[in-house]
Amino acid sequence: MIFEVFLGVLAGFAVGLIPGFHVNNVLSFLKSDLVIVSASIAFVFASLISSAFLGSGENFVVLPPVQRILLKRKGILVLSKTINTLMFSAFLLPFFFYLFFLILGVFSFFKKLFFFFLFGALIGFLKHGLKALVVILLSSGLGLICLNKDLLFPLLAGFFASPTLLASIFMVRSFPKQVEVFSKEVCYRHSFLAGFLSLFFSLIPAVSSSIVAVIAKSFFGLEEDDFIIFTGAVSYYYMVFSFAAYSFFGITRSGSAAYLTSKPGLLSLLGLLIFTTIVSGYLALFFLKKAFTVLYFFGRKLFSFVFLLLLFLVFFHHGFFGLLVFFTSTCIGLLCQELEVPRHVCMASLIVPTMLLIY
Amino acid sequence: MRKAFLFLGFAVLGLFLSYYFSDDRYEKVDPKALAENCYGRVELDGRLLRVFYSKKGNLIGVVSSNGYHFLVLLNGYNYSKGDLLTVKGFASKYSGSCWVFPKQVKLNDF
């Protein structure tokens, strides 16, 4: 059992450290539930590190907060703070699981409000003006074409992974070397806030953790450091709540939960999540500096390799039509960068079809 | 701005081509494989074992194929117990059962 957990942590970590890669891409190779849960948690930690390097450089029109932190040389400091916060969040799980169980009990009531939540999110995107409307129209059109065609991988990889990979491959100049100072600080406020917001938003289809972070930013005025810590915490809670939803009521809210072969018991799930979080957290802290050094030197080659790997995987799983969808979503993602529209607006590709299905 | 127009042009072209080439192809699946990995666009042959209305008023059929049972949403169709059916649709796991949400259901009467 312990062997399976450690194997899962290592697998999740290895996948998470590859920029632009998701644990969902390898779930079919992981045969045991223990390995899937531990790999998914470890992935959340490792992807914090690798995502910092995606798209870093000075040719970006709008720099995401993580890259602004890198330019200020505070990458290791902020990411270590994020990892500490995630490790603390593991100890809040019994409390949040209890609340989550209560909310799931009245799930059917919330379901009726999903349409309005999603509509509100679309209206929120429009605050970026007419340019956002163009992106919404294009991405929702592509989302509707891909509806019921099992093409989520090329669709989302094109919107979110490949534009940043391409920008990273062709970047003008890399970011400066980071100050090697680790933080022991824990952001209790962000951990609680992310937990409470994820309780509700993780149940709404097509609302990603980045959208939750943007909502929190508008209401609570999160600064760059806070935004990164908060986004990390929301991603973590999204993952653990997806397992909790499957454990309580058999509802699958993530690719990882969908791959589980049996419903895990609540206590064993809690124990496994807390244990895996602590192990993954310490592993992430241990590898943080080393990963930065490796990615710093091999970044561009690694990004090129990952981009080619993505192309191969899309073609292998979805054929020429998948490649066409990947090409189109990549163009929309690149258009976002050029128009200075945040890329989470591309989530309209999932939001609009979901609204139509609910309606 | 020139780059933005270039990406916009490619995106519109890609969208048009995606729409043009998006076909409704369903893969004929082995019932055992479908029961184990209930996901994707599938074509399934089976016998209608039971038809019932859910609490929300949806017409649901239990289709049996090679001993494996699948739930099929049959709103708008008028089939009865014992009919041999060919169901083309999207398979997905929901509440512990394998569902097929059909695009097309035909009576298999040969």
Side-chain angles (χ1 to χ4, degrees), chain A residues 298-351:
Chain A
F298 297 103
R300 205 177 289 195
K301 281 177 194 154
L302 190 63
F303 298 143
S304 311
F305 167 73
V306 175
F307 184 74
L308 291 175
L309 191 63
L310 274 182
L311 274 178
F312 168 76
L313 285 175
V314 167
F315 182 69
F316 183 74
H317 286 294
H318 306 281
F320 281 109
F321 190 67
L323 275 182
L324 188 58
V325 170
F326 181 74
F327 167 78
T328 312
S329 54
T330 301
C331 287
I332 299 171
L334 289 168
L335 180 68
C336 271
Q337 279 179 10
E338 288 302 317
L339 294 178
E340 300 183 30
V341 173
R343 234 161 337 129
H344 63 256
V345 174
C346 294
M347 283 305 280
S349 61
L350 298 185
I351 290 177

Tab-separated table of all heavy atoms in Angstrom, chain A residues 298-351:
chain	number	residue	atom	x	y	z
A	298	PHE	N	17.357	24.016	-19.265
A	298	PHE	CA	16.846	23.207	-20.378
A	298	PHE	C	15.467	23.654	-20.839
A	298	PHE	O	14.825	22.970	-21.631
A	298	PHE	CB	16.783	21.726	-19.975
A	298	PHE	CG	18.120	21.151	-19.662
A	298	PHE	CD1	18.496	20.953	-18.343
A	298	PHE	CD2	19.006	20.837	-20.675
A	298	PHE	CE1	19.740	20.436	-18.037
A	298	PHE	CE2	20.245	20.323	-20.370
A	298	PHE	CZ	20.623	20.128	-19.046
A	299	GLY	N	14.998	24.780	-20.302
A	299	GLY	CA	13.635	25.242	-20.548
A	299	GLY	C	13.191	25.176	-21.996
A	299	GLY	O	12.247	24.466	-22.332
A	300	ARG	N	13.927	25.857	-22.874
A	300	ARG	CA	13.460	25.982	-24.253
A	300	ARG	C	13.396	24.621	-24.959
A	300	ARG	O	12.461	24.333	-25.688
A	300	ARG	CB	14.368	26.935	-25.010
A	300	ARG	CG	13.657	27.578	-26.175
A	300	ARG	CD	14.515	28.564	-26.881
A	300	ARG	NE	14.739	29.764	-26.088
A	300	ARG	CZ	15.218	30.895	-26.588
A	300	ARG	NH1	15.529	30.967	-27.859
A	300	ARG	NH2	15.406	31.943	-25.834
A	301	LYS	N	14.426	23.780	-24.719
A	301	LYS	CA	14.440	22.439	-25.334
A	301	LYS	C	13.267	21.623	-24.803
A	301	LYS	O	12.611	20.888	-25.535
A	301	LYS	CB	15.755	21.725	-24.997
A	301	LYS	CG	16.901	22.186	-25.858
A	301	LYS	CD	18.169	21.507	-25.452
A	301	LYS	CE	19.345	22.235	-26.092
A	301	LYS	NZ	20.572	22.084	-25.358
A	302	LEU	N	13.034	21.744	-23.490
A	302	LEU	CA	11.946	20.990	-22.863
A	302	LEU	C	10.596	21.436	-23.420
A	302	LEU	O	9.727	20.605	-23.717
A	302	LEU	CB	11.992	21.213	-21.342
A	302	LEU	CG	11.093	20.331	-20.504
A	302	LEU	CD1	11.487	18.881	-20.641
A	302	LEU	CD2	11.171	20.738	-19.040
A	303	PHE	N	10.415	22.747	-23.592
A	303	PHE	CA	9.141	23.255	-24.119
A	303	PHE	C	8.903	22.728	-25.543
A	303	PHE	O	7.794	22.351	-25.893
A	303	PHE	CB	9.125	24.794	-24.140
A	303	PHE	CG	9.260	25.405	-22.775
A	303	PHE	CD1	9.992	26.571	-22.589
A	303	PHE	CD2	8.665	24.823	-21.676
A	303	PHE	CE1	10.130	27.133	-21.332
A	303	PHE	CE2	8.794	25.387	-20.413
A	303	PHE	CZ	9.527	26.537	-20.241
A	304	SER	N	9.994	22.713	-26.366
A	304	SER	CA	9.864	22.217	-27.742
A	304	SER	C	9.464	20.743	-27.708
A	304	SER	O	8.586	20.310	-28.466
A	304	SER	CB	11.182	22.345	-28.514
A	304	SER	OG	11.695	23.624	-28.351
A	305	PHE	N	10.118	19.983	-26.817
A	305	PHE	CA	9.820	18.549	-26.708
A	305	PHE	C	8.355	18.342	-26.307
A	305	PHE	O	7.653	17.512	-26.884
A	305	PHE	CB	10.768	17.916	-25.669
A	305	PHE	CG	10.358	16.533	-25.251
A	305	PHE	CD1	10.519	15.459	-26.119
A	305	PHE	CD2	9.789	16.306	-24.000
A	305	PHE	CE1	10.127	14.190	-25.740
A	305	PHE	CE2	9.396	15.041	-23.617
A	305	PHE	CZ	9.562	13.980	-24.498
A	306	VAL	N	7.891	19.112	-25.307
A	306	VAL	CA	6.512	18.954	-24.831
A	306	VAL	C	5.518	19.326	-25.924
A	306	VAL	O	4.502	18.652	-26.114
A	306	VAL	CB	6.258	19.807	-23.561
A	306	VAL	CG1	4.795	19.744	-23.148
A	306	VAL	CG2	7.114	19.319	-22.422
A	307	PHE	N	5.842	20.383	-26.687
A	307	PHE	CA	4.928	20.790	-27.759
A	307	PHE	C	4.795	19.670	-28.796
A	307	PHE	O	3.683	19.330	-29.226
A	307	PHE	CB	5.422	22.086	-28.414
A	307	PHE	CG	4.480	22.608	-29.457
A	307	PHE	CD1	3.291	23.214	-29.084
A	307	PHE	CD2	4.755	22.458	-30.806
A	307	PHE	CE1	2.388	23.666	-30.033
A	307	PHE	CE2	3.859	22.912	-31.764
A	307	PHE	CZ	2.677	23.514	-31.383
A	308	LEU	N	5.939	19.075	-29.165
A	308	LEU	CA	5.899	17.972	-30.142
A	308	LEU	C	5.153	16.768	-29.564
A	308	LEU	O	4.398	16.092	-30.257
A	308	LEU	CB	7.327	17.572	-30.542
A	308	LEU	CG	8.070	18.622	-31.383
A	308	LEU	CD1	9.505	18.196	-31.637
A	308	LEU	CD2	7.357	18.836	-32.717
A	309	LEU	N	5.372	16.530	-28.261
A	309	LEU	CA	4.690	15.410	-27.593
A	309	LEU	C	3.173	15.632	-27.598
A	309	LEU	O	2.405	14.693	-27.858
A	309	LEU	CB	5.195	15.293	-26.150
A	309	LEU	CG	4.790	14.046	-25.380
A	309	LEU	CD1	5.357	12.801	-26.033
A	309	LEU	CD2	5.284	14.126	-23.940
A	310	LEU	N	2.767	16.879	-27.353
A	310	LEU	CA	1.329	17.209	-27.374
A	310	LEU	C	0.743	16.934	-28.760
A	310	LEU	O	-0.307	16.321	-28.892
A	310	LEU	CB	1.105	18.687	-27.027
A	310	LEU	CG	0.992	19.074	-25.562
A	310	LEU	CD1	0.723	20.568	-25.441
A	310	LEU	CD2	-0.114	18.309	-24.865
A	311	LEU	N	1.488	17.381	-29.785
A	311	LEU	CA	1.035	17.152	-31.165
A	311	LEU	C	0.860	15.661	-31.430
A	311	LEU	O	-0.144	15.226	-31.994
A	311	LEU	CB	2.066	17.725	-32.149
A	311	LEU	CG	1.947	19.194	-32.506
A	311	LEU	CD1	3.070	19.593	-33.448
A	311	LEU	CD2	0.619	19.472	-33.191
A	312	PHE	N	1.863	14.881	-31.002
A	312	PHE	CA	1.818	13.434	-31.229
A	312	PHE	C	0.618	12.818	-30.505
A	312	PHE	O	-0.127	12.022	-31.074
A	312	PHE	CB	3.129	12.794	-30.745
A	312	PHE	CG	3.062	11.290	-30.677
A	312	PHE	CD1	3.123	10.532	-31.849
A	312	PHE	CD2	2.910	10.639	-29.457
A	312	PHE	CE1	3.027	9.150	-31.792
A	312	PHE	CE2	2.812	9.263	-29.401
A	312	PHE	CZ	2.880	8.512	-30.571
A	313	LEU	N	0.430	13.210	-29.229
A	313	LEU	CA	-0.671	12.631	-28.433
A	313	LEU	C	-2.040	12.985	-29.025
A	313	LEU	O	-2.937	12.149	-29.073
A	313	LEU	CB	-0.591	13.108	-26.979
A	313	LEU	CG	0.501	12.464	-26.138
A	313	LEU	CD1	0.559	13.103	-24.761
A	313	LEU	CD2	0.263	10.972	-25.992
A	314	VAL	N	-2.167	14.233	-29.480
A	314	VAL	CA	-3.434	14.651	-30.084
A	314	VAL	C	-3.711	13.813	-31.330
A	314	VAL	O	-4.814	13.286	-31.517
A	314	VAL	CB	-3.399	16.164	-30.439
A	314	VAL	CG1	-4.558	16.540	-31.335
A	314	VAL	CG2	-3.432	17.001	-29.175
A	315	PHE	N	-2.682	13.643	-32.179
A	315	PHE	CA	-2.858	12.867	-33.408
A	315	PHE	C	-3.133	11.401	-33.095
A	315	PHE	O	-3.999	10.764	-33.689
A	315	PHE	CB	-1.611	13.009	-34.290
A	315	PHE	CG	-1.743	12.270	-35.586
A	315	PHE	CD1	-2.631	12.701	-36.555
A	315	PHE	CD2	-0.996	11.132	-35.832
A	315	PHE	CE1	-2.774	12.008	-37.748
A	315	PHE	CE2	-1.145	10.426	-37.024
A	315	PHE	CZ	-2.027	10.872	-37.983
A	316	PHE	N	-2.381	10.868	-32.114
A	316	PHE	CA	-2.500	9.449	-31.746
A	316	PHE	C	-3.908	9.137	-31.227
A	316	PHE	O	-4.507	8.129	-31.575
A	316	PHE	CB	-1.451	9.125	-30.673
A	316	PHE	CG	-1.424	7.686	-30.263
A	316	PHE	CD1	-0.891	6.712	-31.100
A	316	PHE	CD2	-1.933	7.297	-29.032
A	316	PHE	CE1	-0.872	5.386	-30.723
A	316	PHE	CE2	-1.920	5.969	-28.645
A	316	PHE	CZ	-1.382	5.010	-29.494
A	317	HIS	N	-4.457	10.013	-30.389
A	317	HIS	CA	-5.763	9.742	-29.770
A	317	HIS	C	-6.944	10.224	-30.606
A	317	HIS	O	-8.022	9.655	-30.534
A	317	HIS	CB	-5.853	10.413	-28.393
A	317	HIS	CG	-5.038	9.708	-27.349
A	317	HIS	ND1	-5.317	8.444	-26.915
A	317	HIS	CD2	-3.943	10.109	-26.664
A	317	HIS	CE1	-4.439	8.079	-26.011
A	317	HIS	NE2	-3.585	9.068	-25.840
A	318	HIS	N	-6.771	11.316	-31.356
A	318	HIS	CA	-7.933	11.939	-32.000
A	318	HIS	C	-7.803	12.132	-33.500
A	318	HIS	O	-8.708	12.705	-34.115
A	318	HIS	CB	-8.225	13.299	-31.335
A	318	HIS	CG	-8.384	13.204	-29.857
A	318	HIS	ND1	-9.535	12.759	-29.263
A	318	HIS	CD2	-7.516	13.465	-28.841
A	318	HIS	CE1	-9.377	12.759	-27.945
A	318	HIS	NE2	-8.172	13.182	-27.665
A	319	GLY	N	-6.683	11.703	-34.080
A	319	GLY	CA	-6.520	11.754	-35.532
A	319	GLY	C	-6.443	13.168	-36.092
A	319	GLY	O	-6.161	14.129	-35.350
A	320	PHE	N	-6.717	13.290	-37.381
A	320	PHE	CA	-6.581	14.576	-38.072
A	320	PHE	C	-7.592	15.605	-37.553
A	320	PHE	O	-7.292	16.786	-37.462
A	320	PHE	CB	-6.744	14.398	-39.591
A	320	PHE	CG	-5.510	13.875	-40.243
A	320	PHE	CD1	-5.461	12.576	-40.734
A	320	PHE	CD2	-4.375	14.676	-40.347
A	320	PHE	CE1	-4.302	12.096	-41.320
A	320	PHE	CE2	-3.215	14.201	-40.932
A	320	PHE	CZ	-3.171	12.898	-41.420
A	321	PHE	N	-8.794	15.133	-37.217
A	321	PHE	CA	-9.796	16.077	-36.722
A	321	PHE	C	-9.345	16.689	-35.388
A	321	PHE	O	-9.541	17.883	-35.138
A	321	PHE	CB	-11.155	15.384	-36.567
A	321	PHE	CG	-12.263	16.355	-36.285
A	321	PHE	CD1	-12.659	17.270	-37.243
A	321	PHE	CD2	-12.881	16.377	-35.041
A	321	PHE	CE1	-13.654	18.196	-36.973
A	321	PHE	CE2	-13.879	17.289	-34.762
A	321	PHE	CZ	-14.267	18.207	-35.739
A	322	GLY	N	-8.721	15.859	-34.544
A	322	GLY	CA	-8.171	16.354	-33.271
A	322	GLY	C	-7.115	17.415	-33.521
A	322	GLY	O	-7.067	18.446	-32.837
A	323	LEU	N	-6.249	17.160	-34.538
A	323	LEU	CA	-5.205	18.139	-34.885
A	323	LEU	C	-5.825	19.458	-35.351
A	323	LEU	O	-5.332	20.535	-35.014
A	323	LEU	CB	-4.310	17.583	-35.990
A	323	LEU	CG	-3.149	16.696	-35.559
A	323	LEU	CD1	-2.334	16.278	-36.773
A	323	LEU	CD2	-2.226	17.389	-34.560
A	324	LEU	N	-6.922	19.346	-36.099
A	324	LEU	CA	-7.614	20.543	-36.597
A	324	LEU	C	-8.178	21.358	-35.426
A	324	LEU	O	-8.032	22.593	-35.379
A	324	LEU	CB	-8.742	20.106	-37.543
A	324	LEU	CG	-9.461	21.200	-38.317
A	324	LEU	CD1	-8.483	21.993	-39.175
A	324	LEU	CD2	-10.560	20.598	-39.184
A	325	VAL	N	-8.776	20.655	-34.466
A	325	VAL	CA	-9.312	21.328	-33.278
A	325	VAL	C	-8.174	21.969	-32.473
A	325	VAL	O	-8.270	23.107	-32.010
A	325	VAL	CB	-10.109	20.332	-32.401
A	325	VAL	CG1	-10.455	20.936	-31.050
A	325	VAL	CG2	-11.382	19.900	-33.122
A	326	PHE	N	-7.066	21.226	-32.347
A	326	PHE	CA	-5.887	21.716	-31.619
A	326	PHE	C	-5.343	22.985	-32.290
A	326	PHE	O	-5.041	23.971	-31.614
A	326	PHE	CB	-4.829	20.605	-31.599
A	326	PHE	CG	-3.574	20.962	-30.862
A	326	PHE	CD1	-3.551	21.024	-29.480
A	326	PHE	CD2	-2.397	21.225	-31.544
A	326	PHE	CE1	-2.389	21.346	-28.800
A	326	PHE	CE2	-1.235	21.551	-30.883
A	326	PHE	CZ	-1.234	21.605	-29.498
A	327	PHE	N	-5.256	22.959	-33.613
A	327	PHE	CA	-4.761	24.124	-34.376
A	327	PHE	C	-5.677	25.335	-34.146
A	327	PHE	O	-5.207	26.444	-33.866
A	327	PHE	CB	-4.696	23.758	-35.866
A	327	PHE	CG	-4.518	24.924	-36.780
A	327	PHE	CD1	-3.264	25.518	-36.944
A	327	PHE	CD2	-5.597	25.460	-37.481
A	327	PHE	CE1	-3.100	26.608	-37.784
A	327	PHE	CE2	-5.442	26.550	-38.314
A	327	PHE	CZ	-4.189	27.134	-38.471
A	328	THR	N	-6.997	25.081	-34.233
A	328	THR	CA	-7.951	26.193	-34.094
A	328	THR	C	-7.908	26.779	-32.685
A	328	THR	O	-7.862	28.003	-32.515
A	328	THR	CB	-9.385	25.704	-34.412
A	328	THR	OG1	-9.356	24.959	-35.626
A	328	THR	CG2	-10.349	26.858	-34.544
A	329	SER	N	-7.905	25.899	-31.683
A	329	SER	CA	-7.898	26.420	-30.306
A	329	SER	C	-6.572	27.118	-29.989
A	329	SER	O	-6.545	28.097	-29.243
A	329	SER	CB	-8.204	25.319	-29.290
A	329	SER	OG	-7.346	24.241	-29.449
A	330	THR	N	-5.475	26.623	-30.590
A	330	THR	CA	-4.180	27.305	-30.401
A	330	THR	C	-4.248	28.721	-30.986
A	330	THR	O	-3.782	29.681	-30.363
A	330	THR	CB	-3.041	26.508	-31.076
A	330	THR	OG1	-2.998	25.220	-30.502
A	330	THR	CG2	-1.697	27.190	-30.898
A	331	CYS	N	-4.845	28.850	-32.184
A	331	CYS	CA	-4.967	30.174	-32.812
A	331	CYS	C	-5.799	31.110	-31.929
A	331	CYS	O	-5.460	32.285	-31.769
A	331	CYS	CB	-5.618	30.062	-34.191
A	331	CYS	SG	-4.527	29.345	-35.404
A	332	ILE	N	-6.882	30.571	-31.346
A	332	ILE	CA	-7.722	31.408	-30.464
A	332	ILE	C	-6.927	31.804	-29.218
A	332	ILE	O	-6.994	32.944	-28.759
A	332	ILE	CB	-9.033	30.678	-30.091
A	332	ILE	CG1	-9.853	30.381	-31.352
A	332	ILE	CG2	-9.880	31.510	-29.130
A	332	ILE	CD1	-11.061	29.483	-31.139
A	333	GLY	N	-6.156	30.862	-28.682
A	333	GLY	CA	-5.311	31.157	-27.508
A	333	GLY	C	-4.279	32.225	-27.822
A	333	GLY	O	-4.038	33.142	-27.031
A	334	LEU	N	-3.649	32.122	-29.015
A	334	LEU	CA	-2.650	33.122	-29.421
A	334	LEU	C	-3.315	34.485	-29.666
A	334	LEU	O	-2.745	35.526	-29.359
A	334	LEU	CB	-1.932	32.658	-30.701
A	334	LEU	CG	-0.971	31.471	-30.518
A	334	LEU	CD1	-0.548	30.914	-31.868
A	334	LEU	CD2	0.265	31.889	-29.719
A	335	LEU	N	-4.548	34.429	-30.195
A	335	LEU	CA	-5.303	35.668	-30.423
A	335	LEU	C	-5.559	36.387	-29.091
A	335	LEU	O	-5.440	37.612	-29.000
A	335	LEU	CB	-6.632	35.336	-31.119
A	335	LEU	CG	-7.554	36.496	-31.430
A	335	LEU	CD1	-6.951	37.396	-32.500
A	335	LEU	CD2	-8.923	36.006	-31.897
A	336	CYS	N	-5.870	35.595	-28.063
A	336	CYS	CA	-6.069	36.148	-26.709
A	336	CYS	C	-4.841	36.942	-26.270
A	336	CYS	O	-4.949	38.049	-25.757
A	336	CYS	CB	-6.279	35.022	-25.697
A	336	CYS	SG	-7.961	34.547	-25.522
A	337	GLN	N	-3.668	36.311	-26.474
A	337	GLN	CA	-2.418	36.980	-26.061
A	337	GLN	C	-2.236	38.299	-26.800
A	337	GLN	O	-1.856	39.307	-26.214
A	337	GLN	CB	-1.228	36.071	-26.361
A	337	GLN	CG	-1.022	35.018	-25.292
A	337	GLN	CD	0.141	34.098	-25.618
A	337	GLN	OE1	0.910	34.331	-26.532
A	337	GLN	NE2	0.257	33.043	-24.844
A	338	GLU	N	-2.497	38.274	-28.106
A	338	GLU	CA	-2.313	39.483	-28.918
A	338	GLU	C	-3.313	40.573	-28.547
A	338	GLU	O	-2.995	41.751	-28.593
A	338	GLU	CB	-2.447	39.153	-30.408
A	338	GLU	CG	-1.293	38.368	-30.966
A	338	GLU	CD	0.047	39.074	-30.799
A	338	GLU	OE1	0.113	40.294	-31.028
A	338	GLU	OE2	1.020	38.399	-30.415
A	339	LEU	N	-4.562	40.145	-28.194
A	339	LEU	CA	-5.604	41.138	-27.884
A	339	LEU	C	-5.577	41.580	-26.420
A	339	LEU	O	-6.407	42.370	-25.983
A	339	LEU	CB	-6.995	40.558	-28.205
A	339	LEU	CG	-7.312	40.261	-29.671
A	339	LEU	CD1	-8.700	39.654	-29.805
A	339	LEU	CD2	-7.229	41.520	-30.514
A	340	GLU	N	-4.637	41.011	-25.659
A	340	GLU	CA	-4.519	41.302	-24.214
A	340	GLU	C	-5.786	40.906	-23.463
A	340	GLU	O	-6.231	41.604	-22.541
A	340	GLU	CB	-4.198	42.778	-23.971
A	340	GLU	CG	-2.892	43.193	-24.612
A	340	GLU	CD	-2.531	44.632	-24.327
A	340	GLU	OE1	-2.921	45.122	-23.255
A	340	GLU	OE2	-1.867	45.246	-25.166
A	341	VAL	N	-6.378	39.806	-23.885
A	341	VAL	CA	-7.555	39.264	-23.188
A	341	VAL	C	-7.075	38.075	-22.359
A	341	VAL	O	-6.372	37.215	-22.884
A	341	VAL	CB	-8.619	38.784	-24.214
A	341	VAL	CG1	-9.761	38.074	-23.512
A	341	VAL	CG2	-9.134	39.956	-25.016
A	342	PRO	N	-7.419	38.008	-21.050
A	342	PRO	CA	-6.975	36.863	-20.242
A	342	PRO	C	-7.481	35.549	-20.848
A	342	PRO	O	-8.601	35.481	-21.347
A	342	PRO	CB	-7.630	37.103	-18.878
A	342	PRO	CG	-8.042	38.509	-18.872
A	342	PRO	CD	-8.235	38.935	-20.276
A	343	ARG	N	-6.626	34.517	-20.774
A	343	ARG	CA	-6.981	33.295	-21.501
A	343	ARG	C	-8.104	32.483	-20.867
A	343	ARG	O	-8.670	31.601	-21.503
A	343	ARG	CB	-5.750	32.438	-21.745
A	343	ARG	CG	-5.679	32.156	-23.209
A	343	ARG	CD	-4.384	31.715	-23.741
A	343	ARG	NE	-3.252	32.093	-22.960
A	343	ARG	CZ	-2.338	31.216	-22.595
A	343	ARG	NH1	-2.479	29.955	-22.891
A	343	ARG	NH2	-1.288	31.624	-21.928
A	344	HIS	N	-8.441	32.795	-19.587
A	344	HIS	CA	-9.546	32.027	-18.999
A	344	HIS	C	-10.874	32.322	-19.708
A	344	HIS	O	-11.836	31.589	-19.555
A	344	HIS	CB	-9.655	32.269	-17.488
A	344	HIS	CG	-9.974	33.680	-17.112
A	344	HIS	ND1	-9.029	34.549	-16.613
A	344	HIS	CD2	-11.121	34.375	-17.185
A	344	HIS	CE1	-9.600	35.716	-16.399
A	344	HIS	NE2	-10.858	35.639	-16.729
A	345	VAL	N	-10.886	33.408	-20.520
A	345	VAL	CA	-12.093	33.722	-21.318
A	345	VAL	C	-12.398	32.572	-22.292
A	345	VAL	O	-13.558	32.330	-22.650
A	345	VAL	CB	-11.904	35.070	-22.065
A	345	VAL	CG1	-13.053	35.355	-23.005
A	345	VAL	CG2	-11.781	36.207	-21.060
A	346	CYS	N	-11.340	31.829	-22.680
A	346	CYS	CA	-11.533	30.675	-23.585
A	346	CYS	C	-12.392	29.591	-22.932
A	346	CYS	O	-12.863	28.678	-23.622
A	346	CYS	CB	-10.194	30.070	-23.980
A	346	CYS	SG	-9.191	31.164	-24.975
A	347	MET	N	-12.582	29.670	-21.619
A	347	MET	CA	-13.440	28.680	-20.946
A	347	MET	C	-14.882	28.791	-21.437
A	347	MET	O	-15.712	27.930	-21.158
A	347	MET	CB	-13.398	28.860	-19.422
A	347	MET	CG	-12.147	28.322	-18.767
A	347	MET	SD	-11.818	26.615	-19.118
A	347	MET	CE	-12.932	25.814	-17.982
A	348	ALA	N	-15.181	29.864	-22.193
A	348	ALA	CA	-16.507	29.975	-22.831
A	348	ALA	C	-16.778	28.743	-23.690
A	348	ALA	O	-17.929	28.378	-23.921
A	348	ALA	CB	-16.578	31.241	-23.674
A	349	SER	N	-15.706	28.086	-24.155
A	349	SER	CA	-15.859	26.879	-24.978
A	349	SER	C	-16.561	25.763	-24.204
A	349	SER	O	-17.157	24.877	-24.802
A	349	SER	CB	-14.494	26.386	-25.451
A	349	SER	OG	-13.717	26.065	-24.323
A	350	LEU	N	-16.439	25.783	-22.894
A	350	LEU	CA	-17.144	24.780	-22.067
A	350	LEU	C	-18.410	25.383	-21.460
A	350	LEU	O	-19.409	24.700	-21.292
A	350	LEU	CB	-16.244	24.286	-20.937
A	350	LEU	CG	-14.952	23.579	-21.322
A	350	LEU	CD1	-14.238	23.055	-20.084
A	350	LEU	CD2	-15.237	22.428	-22.260
A	351	ILE	N	-18.344	26.684	-21.128
A	351	ILE	CA	-19.461	27.314	-20.431
A	351	ILE	C	-20.709	27.377	-21.318
A	351	ILE	O	-21.800	26.999	-20.889
A	351	ILE	CB	-19.056	28.735	-19.934
A	351	ILE	CG1	-18.032	28.593	-18.800
A	351	ILE	CG2	-20.271	29.526	-19.455
A	351	ILE	CD1	-17.492	29.905	-18.280
